[in-house]
Amino acid sequence: MEIRVVENTAPSAKPADSELGFGKHFTDHMFVMDYEEGKGWHDPRIIPFGYISLHPASTVLHYGAEIFEGLKAYRTKDGSIQLFRPMENIRRLNTSAERMCLPTLDEGVAYETLKAFIRHEQDWVPHSEGTSLYIRPFMFGDDETLGVHTVKRATYMIIASPSGSYYKEGINPVKIMIESEDVRTVRGGTGYAKCGGNYAASTRAGERANKKGYSQVLWLDGVERRYIEEVGAMNVMFKIDGEIITPALTGSILPGITRKSCIEVLRSLGYKVTERLLSVDELFDAVKSGRLEEAWGTGTAAVVSPIGRLMYEDVEYVIGGERIGPLTQKLYDILTGIQWGRIEDSFGWIDKL
Ligand SMILES: *Cc1c(COP(=O)(O)O)cnc(C)c1O
Protein backbone atom coordinates (compact mmCIF):
# COMPACT_ATOMS: atom_id res chain seq x y z
CA MET A 1 0.00 0.00 0.00
CA GLU A 2 1.52 3.24 -1.21
CA ILE A 3 0.77 6.27 1.01
CA ARG A 4 1.25 9.64 -0.63
CA VAL A 5 2.92 12.18 1.67
CA VAL A 6 2.70 15.94 1.37
CA GLU A 7 4.91 17.55 4.00
CA ASN A 8 3.70 20.55 5.94
CA THR A 9 6.11 23.33 5.00
CA ALA A 10 4.94 25.55 7.87
CA PRO A 11 5.01 23.28 10.93
CA SER A 12 3.67 24.77 14.14
CA ALA A 13 5.55 25.18 17.41
CA LYS A 14 4.79 22.36 19.83
CA PRO A 15 2.99 23.44 23.00
CA ALA A 16 4.66 22.81 26.37
CA ASP A 17 3.54 19.55 28.00
CA SER A 18 2.03 21.55 30.87
CA GLU A 19 -0.30 23.39 28.47
CA LEU A 20 -1.66 20.42 26.58
CA GLY A 21 -5.14 19.79 27.97
CA PHE A 22 -7.33 17.53 25.83
CA GLY A 23 -8.08 17.86 22.12
CA LYS A 24 -6.95 21.46 21.81
CA HIS A 25 -3.73 21.09 19.85
CA PHE A 26 -3.23 19.06 16.69
CA THR A 27 -0.18 17.66 14.95
CA ASP A 28 1.05 19.09 11.65
CA HIS A 29 -0.50 16.43 9.42
CA MET A 30 -3.63 14.37 8.98
CA PHE A 31 -4.36 11.12 7.22
CA VAL A 32 -7.06 11.00 4.54
CA MET A 33 -8.42 8.22 2.32
CA ASP A 34 -11.41 8.31 -0.04
CA TYR A 35 -14.09 5.78 -0.84
CA GLU A 36 -16.29 5.54 -3.87
CA GLU A 37 -18.69 2.77 -4.74
CA GLY A 38 -17.17 0.61 -7.45
CA LYS A 39 -13.70 1.96 -6.83
CA GLY A 40 -13.34 1.10 -3.14
CA TRP A 41 -10.91 2.85 -0.80
CA HIS A 42 -8.21 4.78 -2.62
CA ASP A 43 -5.61 7.55 -2.46
CA PRO A 44 -4.36 7.12 1.13
CA ARG A 45 -2.37 10.22 1.95
CA ILE A 46 -0.71 12.11 4.77
CA ILE A 47 -1.19 15.81 4.13
CA PRO A 48 -0.80 19.06 6.12
CA PHE A 49 -3.39 19.44 8.88
CA GLY A 50 -6.06 21.86 7.81
CA TYR A 51 -9.65 22.60 6.92
CA ILE A 52 -11.59 20.26 4.68
CA SER A 53 -14.31 21.33 2.30
CA LEU A 54 -17.61 19.52 1.96
CA HIS A 55 -20.50 19.73 -0.46
CA PRO A 56 -23.44 21.33 1.40
CA ALA A 57 -25.58 18.25 0.66
CA SER A 58 -23.01 15.83 2.16
CA THR A 59 -24.67 12.88 3.87
CA VAL A 60 -22.86 13.47 7.14
CA LEU A 61 -24.31 16.98 7.49
CA HIS A 62 -27.92 15.89 7.05
CA TYR A 63 -28.19 12.29 8.15
CA GLY A 64 -25.36 11.92 10.63
CA ALA A 65 -23.35 9.23 8.83
CA GLU A 66 -20.29 9.47 11.08
CA ILE A 67 -18.28 7.11 13.27
CA PHE A 68 -15.04 7.48 15.19
CA GLU A 69 -12.44 5.81 17.38
CA GLY A 70 -10.13 6.98 20.14
CA LEU A 71 -6.77 5.53 21.16
CA LYS A 72 -3.44 6.77 22.45
CA ALA A 73 0.24 6.51 21.58
CA TYR A 74 2.36 6.31 24.74
CA ARG A 75 6.00 7.27 25.16
CA THR A 76 7.99 4.93 27.38
CA LYS A 77 10.90 5.83 29.62
CA ASP A 78 13.47 4.86 26.97
CA GLY A 79 11.81 7.25 24.50
CA SER A 80 10.16 4.60 22.34
CA ILE A 81 6.48 4.78 21.38
CA GLN A 82 3.82 2.13 21.81
CA LEU A 83 0.12 1.53 21.19
CA PHE A 84 -2.38 -0.38 23.31
CA ARG A 85 -4.49 -3.00 21.49
CA PRO A 86 -4.92 -0.97 18.27
CA MET A 87 -6.53 -3.87 16.38
CA GLU A 88 -9.41 -3.69 18.84
CA ASN A 89 -10.07 -0.12 17.72
CA ILE A 90 -9.91 -1.12 14.06
CA ARG A 91 -12.36 -3.98 14.53
CA ARG A 92 -14.74 -1.76 16.48
CA LEU A 93 -14.53 0.91 13.76
CA ASN A 94 -15.71 -1.69 11.26
CA THR A 95 -18.54 -2.79 13.57
CA SER A 96 -19.63 0.84 13.80
CA ALA A 97 -19.31 1.26 10.01
CA GLU A 98 -21.51 -1.76 9.40
CA ARG A 99 -24.19 -0.39 11.75
CA MET A 100 -24.20 3.03 10.11
CA CYS A 101 -24.10 1.76 6.50
CA LEU A 102 -20.63 3.18 5.94
CA PRO A 103 -18.00 1.17 4.02
CA THR A 104 -15.73 -1.03 6.14
CA LEU A 105 -11.93 -0.90 5.93
CA ASP A 106 -9.62 -3.79 5.24
CA GLU A 107 -8.15 -4.53 8.68
CA GLY A 108 -4.60 -4.78 7.37
CA VAL A 109 -4.86 -1.50 5.46
CA ALA A 110 -6.40 0.26 8.47
CA TYR A 111 -3.60 -1.03 10.70
CA GLU A 112 -0.75 -0.15 8.32
CA THR A 113 -2.06 3.35 7.60
CA LEU A 114 -2.66 4.02 11.31
CA LYS A 115 0.90 3.06 12.17
CA ALA A 116 2.38 4.92 9.20
CA PHE A 117 0.54 8.08 10.25
CA ILE A 118 1.64 7.85 13.90
CA ARG A 119 5.20 7.13 12.81
CA HIS A 120 5.10 10.26 10.66
CA GLU A 121 3.86 12.34 13.63
CA GLN A 122 5.96 10.62 16.30
CA ASP A 123 7.77 13.76 17.44
CA TRP A 124 4.39 14.94 18.71
CA VAL A 125 4.10 12.17 21.30
CA PRO A 126 4.77 14.11 24.50
CA HIS A 127 7.31 13.03 27.08
CA SER A 128 5.97 14.07 30.50
CA GLU A 129 4.40 11.64 32.94
CA GLY A 130 0.78 10.83 32.10
CA THR A 131 0.78 12.58 28.72
CA SER A 132 0.08 10.87 25.41
CA LEU A 133 -0.77 11.46 21.77
CA TYR A 134 -4.52 11.00 21.45
CA ILE A 135 -5.41 9.55 18.06
CA ARG A 136 -8.80 10.08 16.51
CA PRO A 137 -9.65 7.99 13.43
CA PHE A 138 -13.06 8.87 11.95
CA MET A 139 -15.20 8.26 8.90
CA PHE A 140 -18.12 10.04 7.35
CA GLY A 141 -20.40 9.73 4.34
CA ASP A 142 -20.11 12.51 1.79
CA ASP A 143 -22.47 11.70 -1.05
CA GLU A 144 -23.39 14.94 -2.76
CA THR A 145 -27.12 14.28 -2.74
CA LEU A 146 -29.99 14.58 -0.29
CA GLY A 147 -31.27 11.10 -1.12
CA VAL A 148 -31.30 8.70 1.84
CA HIS A 149 -29.43 5.46 1.18
CA THR A 150 -26.24 3.56 1.96
CA VAL A 151 -23.45 5.99 1.18
CA LYS A 152 -21.65 5.70 -2.13
CA ARG A 153 -18.88 8.10 -1.13
CA ALA A 154 -17.04 8.31 2.17
CA THR A 155 -13.90 9.77 3.70
CA TYR A 156 -11.71 8.14 6.35
CA MET A 157 -9.38 10.39 8.29
CA ILE A 158 -7.02 10.29 11.27
CA ILE A 159 -6.03 13.33 13.29
CA ALA A 160 -3.87 13.36 16.41
CA SER A 161 -3.75 15.60 19.44
CA PRO A 162 -1.00 15.70 22.08
CA SER A 163 -2.86 15.44 25.37
CA GLY A 164 -2.04 16.24 28.97
CA SER A 165 -2.31 13.97 31.95
CA TYR A 166 -5.96 13.22 32.75
CA TYR A 167 -5.23 13.29 36.46
CA LYS A 168 -3.08 16.37 36.89
CA GLU A 169 -4.33 16.91 40.43
CA GLY A 170 -4.40 13.26 41.47
CA ILE A 171 -7.20 10.75 41.02
CA ASN A 172 -10.26 12.31 42.60
CA PRO A 173 -13.53 10.35 42.72
CA VAL A 174 -16.23 11.86 40.51
CA LYS A 175 -19.83 12.75 41.29
CA ILE A 176 -22.33 11.06 38.97
CA MET A 177 -26.02 11.74 38.44
CA ILE A 178 -28.28 8.90 37.38
CA GLU A 179 -30.33 10.13 34.44
CA SER A 180 -34.00 9.25 34.61
CA GLU A 181 -35.38 11.38 31.77
CA ASP A 182 -33.24 11.10 28.62
CA VAL A 183 -31.88 7.78 27.40
CA ARG A 184 -28.70 7.35 25.41
CA THR A 185 -29.85 4.56 23.11
CA VAL A 186 -32.04 1.48 23.08
CA ARG A 187 -31.42 -2.13 22.16
CA GLY A 188 -31.56 -2.37 18.38
CA GLY A 189 -30.34 1.21 18.18
CA THR A 190 -26.80 2.49 17.79
CA GLY A 191 -25.50 2.16 21.36
CA TYR A 192 -22.80 -0.36 20.48
CA ALA A 193 -21.51 1.80 17.62
CA LYS A 194 -19.09 4.64 18.31
CA CYS A 195 -20.98 7.25 16.32
CA GLY A 196 -21.23 11.00 16.64
CA GLY A 197 -25.02 10.92 16.83
CA ASN A 198 -24.94 9.10 20.17
CA TYR A 199 -22.96 11.99 21.57
CA ALA A 200 -25.20 14.70 20.12
CA ALA A 201 -28.18 13.00 21.73
CA SER A 202 -26.56 12.58 25.12
CA THR A 203 -25.14 16.07 25.56
CA ARG A 204 -28.34 17.57 26.98
CA ALA A 205 -28.42 15.27 30.00
CA GLY A 206 -24.70 15.83 30.56
CA GLU A 207 -25.20 19.59 30.60
CA ARG A 208 -28.07 19.31 33.09
CA ALA A 209 -25.91 17.16 35.36
CA ASN A 210 -23.02 19.66 35.12
CA LYS A 211 -25.32 22.49 36.20
CA LYS A 212 -26.20 20.54 39.33
CA GLY A 213 -22.54 19.92 40.12
CA TYR A 214 -22.19 16.39 38.72
CA SER A 215 -19.49 15.64 36.23
CA GLN A 216 -21.31 12.97 34.21
CA VAL A 217 -24.52 11.01 33.96
CA LEU A 218 -25.10 7.33 34.50
CA TRP A 219 -27.43 5.99 31.82
CA LEU A 220 -30.24 3.56 32.46
CA ASP A 221 -31.63 1.23 29.79
CA GLY A 222 -34.02 2.90 27.39
CA VAL A 223 -36.99 0.57 27.86
CA GLU A 224 -37.50 -0.12 31.56
CA ARG A 225 -35.17 2.62 32.82
CA ARG A 226 -34.08 0.25 35.52
CA TYR A 227 -30.87 -1.34 34.37
CA ILE A 228 -27.52 0.36 34.56
CA GLU A 229 -25.79 0.84 31.22
CA GLU A 230 -22.75 3.13 31.32
CA VAL A 231 -21.41 6.45 32.58
CA GLY A 232 -21.08 9.31 30.08
CA ALA A 233 -18.47 7.96 27.70
CA MET A 234 -17.19 5.28 30.05
CA ASN A 235 -18.25 1.76 30.92
CA VAL A 236 -18.95 1.11 34.57
CA MET A 237 -18.02 -1.53 37.14
CA PHE A 238 -19.10 -2.21 40.72
CA LYS A 239 -17.47 -4.28 43.42
CA ILE A 240 -20.23 -5.80 45.50
CA ASP A 241 -19.41 -8.38 48.19
CA GLY A 242 -16.00 -8.99 46.63
CA GLU A 243 -17.45 -9.72 43.18
CA ILE A 244 -17.09 -7.34 40.24
CA ILE A 245 -20.31 -6.73 38.35
CA THR A 246 -20.46 -4.87 35.04
CA PRO A 247 -23.45 -4.43 32.73
CA ALA A 248 -23.63 -7.09 30.01
CA LEU A 249 -23.15 -5.93 26.41
CA THR A 250 -26.80 -6.04 25.43
CA GLY A 251 -26.42 -3.92 22.30
CA SER A 252 -27.10 -0.52 23.79
CA ILE A 253 -23.71 -0.31 25.52
CA LEU A 254 -20.42 0.63 23.88
CA PRO A 255 -18.04 -2.34 24.10
CA GLY A 256 -15.09 -0.52 25.65
CA ILE A 257 -11.56 -1.77 25.12
CA THR A 258 -10.66 -0.56 28.62
CA ARG A 259 -13.70 -2.48 29.94
CA LYS A 260 -12.52 -5.65 28.21
CA SER A 261 -8.96 -5.13 29.46
CA CYS A 262 -10.13 -4.52 33.05
CA ILE A 263 -12.14 -7.74 32.97
CA GLU A 264 -9.07 -9.66 31.79
CA VAL A 265 -6.80 -8.07 34.42
CA LEU A 266 -9.34 -8.69 37.21
CA ARG A 267 -9.77 -12.34 36.24
CA SER A 268 -5.98 -12.78 36.12
CA LEU A 269 -5.90 -11.45 39.69
CA GLY A 270 -8.42 -14.12 40.69
CA TYR A 271 -11.50 -11.93 40.97
CA LYS A 272 -14.91 -13.12 39.94
CA VAL A 273 -16.23 -10.81 37.21
CA THR A 274 -19.84 -11.11 36.13
CA GLU A 275 -21.36 -9.44 33.09
CA ARG A 276 -25.10 -9.21 33.66
CA LEU A 277 -28.05 -6.89 34.06
CA LEU A 278 -27.79 -4.79 37.23
CA SER A 279 -30.80 -2.76 38.28
CA VAL A 280 -30.65 0.52 40.19
CA ASP A 281 -32.70 -1.10 42.97
CA GLU A 282 -30.16 -3.86 43.38
CA LEU A 283 -27.33 -1.33 43.31
CA PHE A 284 -28.85 0.89 45.99
CA ASP A 285 -29.69 -2.14 48.14
CA ALA A 286 -25.99 -2.90 48.02
CA VAL A 287 -25.13 0.73 48.86
CA LYS A 288 -27.54 0.88 51.81
CA SER A 289 -26.40 -2.42 53.27
CA GLY A 290 -22.75 -1.47 52.90
CA ARG A 291 -21.99 -4.22 50.39
CA LEU A 292 -21.00 -1.88 47.56
CA GLU A 293 -17.28 -1.55 48.12
CA GLU A 294 -16.08 0.30 45.02
CA ALA A 295 -17.45 1.75 41.78
CA TRP A 296 -15.51 3.06 38.80
CA GLY A 297 -15.81 4.01 35.16
CA THR A 298 -13.48 2.74 32.43
CA GLY A 299 -12.39 4.40 29.18
CA THR A 300 -9.33 5.28 27.13
CA ALA A 301 -9.16 8.90 28.31
CA ALA A 302 -9.31 8.37 32.08
CA VAL A 303 -8.37 4.65 32.06
CA VAL A 304 -10.14 4.14 35.40
CA SER A 305 -12.23 6.81 37.12
CA PRO A 306 -13.45 6.17 40.68
CA ILE A 307 -17.05 7.13 41.48
CA GLY A 308 -17.41 8.88 44.83
CA ARG A 309 -21.05 9.96 44.78
CA LEU A 310 -24.17 8.78 43.00
CA MET A 311 -27.32 10.88 42.82
CA TYR A 312 -30.64 9.21 42.02
CA GLU A 313 -34.09 10.78 42.26
CA ASP A 314 -32.81 13.59 44.49
CA VAL A 315 -31.05 11.32 46.97
CA GLU A 316 -27.27 11.31 47.07
CA TYR A 317 -25.27 8.24 48.01
CA VAL A 318 -21.63 8.33 49.03
CA ILE A 319 -19.52 5.41 47.82
CA GLY A 320 -16.37 4.11 49.48
CA GLY A 321 -16.03 7.17 51.70
CA GLU A 322 -15.40 9.20 48.51
CA ARG A 323 -11.89 7.86 48.25
CA ILE A 324 -10.38 5.75 45.48
CA GLY A 325 -10.76 2.11 46.50
CA PRO A 326 -7.80 -0.29 46.67
CA LEU A 327 -8.94 -2.38 43.70
CA THR A 328 -9.67 0.69 41.56
CA GLN A 329 -6.17 1.93 42.34
CA LYS A 330 -4.64 -1.44 41.55
CA LEU A 331 -6.41 -1.63 38.19
CA TYR A 332 -5.28 1.88 37.36
CA ASP A 333 -1.68 1.06 38.27
CA ILE A 334 -1.63 -2.14 36.22
CA LEU A 335 -3.26 -0.71 33.10
CA THR A 336 -1.29 2.54 33.03
CA GLY A 337 1.84 0.57 33.93
CA ILE A 338 1.40 -1.60 30.83
CA GLN A 339 0.44 1.34 28.62
CA TRP A 340 3.45 3.48 29.50
CA GLY A 341 5.78 0.48 29.63
CA ARG A 342 6.50 0.67 33.37
CA ILE A 343 5.47 -2.92 33.96
CA GLU A 344 5.78 -5.98 31.81
CA ASP A 345 2.86 -6.72 29.48
CA SER A 346 2.02 -10.35 30.15
CA PHE A 347 -1.19 -10.05 28.10
CA GLY A 348 0.34 -9.27 24.70
CA TRP A 349 -1.51 -5.96 24.41
CA ILE A 350 1.39 -3.68 23.56
CA ASP A 351 2.21 -2.89 19.96
CA LYS A 352 5.53 -1.10 19.55
CA LEU A 353 5.58 1.57 16.91
C1 LIG B 1 -15.40 5.18 23.66
C2 LIG B 1 -16.51 4.94 24.64
C3 LIG B 1 -16.31 4.17 25.81
C4 LIG B 1 -14.97 3.64 26.25
O1 LIG B 1 -14.36 2.80 25.32
P1 LIG B 1 -12.80 2.53 25.40
O2 LIG B 1 -12.54 1.65 24.24
O3 LIG B 1 -12.52 1.89 26.70
O4 LIG B 1 -12.13 3.87 25.29
C5 LIG B 1 -17.41 3.93 26.61
N1 LIG B 1 -18.62 4.43 26.31
C6 LIG B 1 -18.84 5.19 25.21
C7 LIG B 1 -20.20 5.71 24.95
C8 LIG B 1 -17.78 5.46 24.35
O5 LIG B 1 -18.01 6.23 23.27
Side-chain angles (χ1 to χ4, degrees), residues 68-70 89 92 184 191 194 199 230-235 254-259 298-301:
F68 65 94
E69 270 303 323
N89 293 93
R92 189 171 62 189
R184 197 182 78 96
K194 214 168 169 74
Y199 279 72
E230 54 183 311
V231 173
M234 286 189 287
N235 295 110
L254 201 285
I257 296 160
T258 320
R259 172 189 183 277
T298 70
T300 296

Side-chain angles (χ1 to χ4, degrees), residues 13-27 123-134 160-166 168:
K14 293 187 180 60
D17 283 4
S18 58
E19 286 163 19
L20 289 175
F22 176 75
K24 292 192 298 184
H25 305 278
F26 295 93
T27 68
D123 289 349
W124 285 86
V125 181
H127 290 257
S128 305
E129 164 110 35
T131 61
S132 59
L133 183 67
Y134 183 80
S161 169
S163 295
S165 171
Y166 193 89
K168 257 206 222 150

Side-chain angles (χ1 to χ4, degrees), residues 25-88:
H25 305 278
F26 295 93
T27 68
D28 285 324
H29 300 84
M30 57 191 188
F31 176 82
V32 187
M33 183 159 65
D34 305 316
Y35 174 87
E36 240 180 82
E37 196 183 49
K39 203 169 167 189
W41 287 105
H42 59 277
D43 196 14
R45 55 203 185 272
I46 293 170
I47 59 173
F49 186 89
Y51 287 89
I52 54 175
S53 67
L54 286 175
H55 189 281
S58 286
T59 326
V60 62
L61 299 178
H62 301 270
Y63 308 125
E66 193 269 353
I67 57 171
F68 65 94
E69 270 303 323
L71 69 160
K72 290 169 170 176
Y74 307 85
R75 196 177 288 278
T76 64
K77 228 197 199 137
D78 67 11
S80 65
I81 295 166
Q82 56 188 36
L83 307 178
F84 183 75
R85 313 187 82 174
M87 279 312 288
E88 295 284 336

